[in-house]
């Protein structure tokens, strides 16, 4: 279910990122209301990317999980956008190269919004990312193809961190009444 929601959210981000190209490519200029609804859905995805993130027990874990979810959505939608814009370039290049450039820069801006939102959330809230992966992410972020491997590693680290720590909090809350850690005889020094 989580993957289906993630794919749905990535589809909305992809459509919003390439809305200009879709409208110009299909000659449908009467998509005003649908465009407004898609942009509102895009804004909601940026604020609340995951329903599962709401189940996290702490503010830090919630934002760490939502950041990794935004980065996953970015990875899926940007991959689709690259394929779509490549196909659109071959279709529109001889006649409407200005439309393609406009579509490219709009898609780039929308994808960057999702990426920056996710990476800021992850960098500010993750404890297991350490300084090493933060610096590697910043330095390798400009190297094509290598940045994708680092991004996948960052997503994996932060998602596992948020899920594991949340499960530990839930387990500790369940065992609180059992007083497992309480000693039978007090220690005297």
């Amino acid at each position: 279910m989580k993957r289906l929601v993630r794919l749905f959210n990535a589809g909305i981000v992809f459509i919003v990122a390439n809305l200009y190209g879709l409208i110009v490519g299909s000659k449908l200029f009467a998509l005003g209301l649908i465009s407004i609804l898609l942009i509102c859905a895009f804004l909601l995805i940026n604020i609340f990317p995951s329903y599962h993130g709401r189940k996290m027990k702490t503010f830090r874990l919630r934002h760490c999980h939502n950041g990794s979810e935004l980065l996953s959505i970015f990875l899926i939608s940007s991959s689709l956008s690259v394929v779509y814009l490549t196909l659109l370039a071959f279709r529109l290049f001889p006649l409407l190269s200005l439309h393609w450039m406009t579509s490219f820069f709009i898609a780039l801006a929308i994808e960057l919004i999702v990426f920056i939102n996710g990476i800021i959330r992850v960098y500010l809230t993750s404890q297991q990312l350490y300084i090493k992966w933060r610096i590697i992410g910043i330095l390798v972020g400009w190297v094509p193809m290598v940045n994708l491997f680092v991004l996948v590693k960052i997503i994996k680290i932060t998602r596992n961190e948020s899920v594991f720590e949340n499960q530990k909090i839930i387990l500790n809350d369940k065992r609180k009444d059992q007083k497992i850690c309480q000693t039978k005889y007090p220690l005297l020094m």
Side-chain angles (χ1 to χ4, degrees):
M1 186 67 183
K2 288 184 236 178
R3 290 181 181 164
L4 189 61
V5 171
R6 185 179 305 134
L7 286 175
F8 178 75
N9 289 344
I12 288 177
V13 171
F14 165 73
I15 290 171
V16 170
N18 297 295
L19 194 59
Y20 182 80
L22 292 170
I23 290 173
V24 170
S26 65
K27 305 285 189 256
L28 295 175
F29 292 103
L31 293 176
L33 182 62
I34 295 172
S35 300
I36 291 171
L37 291 175
L38 285 170
I39 291 171
C40 290
F42 169 75
L43 293 174
L44 281 174
I45 288 170
N46 271 296
I47 297 169
F48 306 111
S50 164
Y51 177 76
H52 185 67
R54 294 182 205 156
K55 295 179 182 177
M56 298 290 166
K57 295 294 184 181
T58 65
F59 177 82
R60 184 186 68 79
L61 292 177
R62 191 175 313 120
H63 282 286
C64 184
H65 183 77
N66 285 339
S68 65
E69 191 67 28
L70 280 170
L71 291 176
S72 297
I73 290 170
F74 163 76
L75 202 58
I76 295 167
S77 66
S78 63
S79 301
L80 292 174
S81 291
V82 166
V83 171
Y84 174 73
L85 288 171
T86 304
L87 294 174
L88 191 66
F90 287 118
R91 183 172 176 224
L92 293 179
F93 184 70
L95 303 173
L96 304 170
S97 60
L98 181 64
H99 289 300
W100 184 84
M101 291 296 288
T102 306
S103 179
F104 171 77
F105 284 117
I106 290 172
L108 182 67
I110 295 294
E111 297 290 348
L112 275 176
I113 289 170
V114 175
F115 173 75
I116 290 172
N117 187 0
I119 205 74
I120 286 174
R121 286 184 190 202
V122 163
Y123 273 19
L124 291 178
T125 59
S126 177
Q127 291 179 346
Q128 293 180 7
L129 205 53
Y130 304 118
I131 195 74
K132 172 185 146 184
W133 285 107
R134 288 178 170 93
I135 291 175
I136 289 173
I138 291 170
L139 293 178
V140 179
W142 302 104
V143 180
M145 300 310 289
V146 178
N147 58 4
L148 296 177
F149 293 112
V150 172
L151 182 62
V152 169
K153 180 69 174 176
I154 288 172
I155 291 169
K156 188 182 291 185
I157 289 170
T158 55
R159 182 170 291 136
N160 290 341
E161 172 188 359
S162 62
V163 169
F164 178 77
E165 288 186 21
N166 192 54
Q167 289 174 347
K168 289 303 258 181
I169 290 171
I170 291 170
L171 181 64
N172 287 339
D173 287 344
K174 287 180 183 177
R175 296 188 317 183
K176 185 184 274 186
D177 295 333
Q178 296 173 357
K179 298 181 182 179
I180 290 175
C181 293
Q182 187 178 12
T183 59
K184 187 171 184 180
Y185 302 106
L187 297 175
L188 298 175
M189 298 287 174

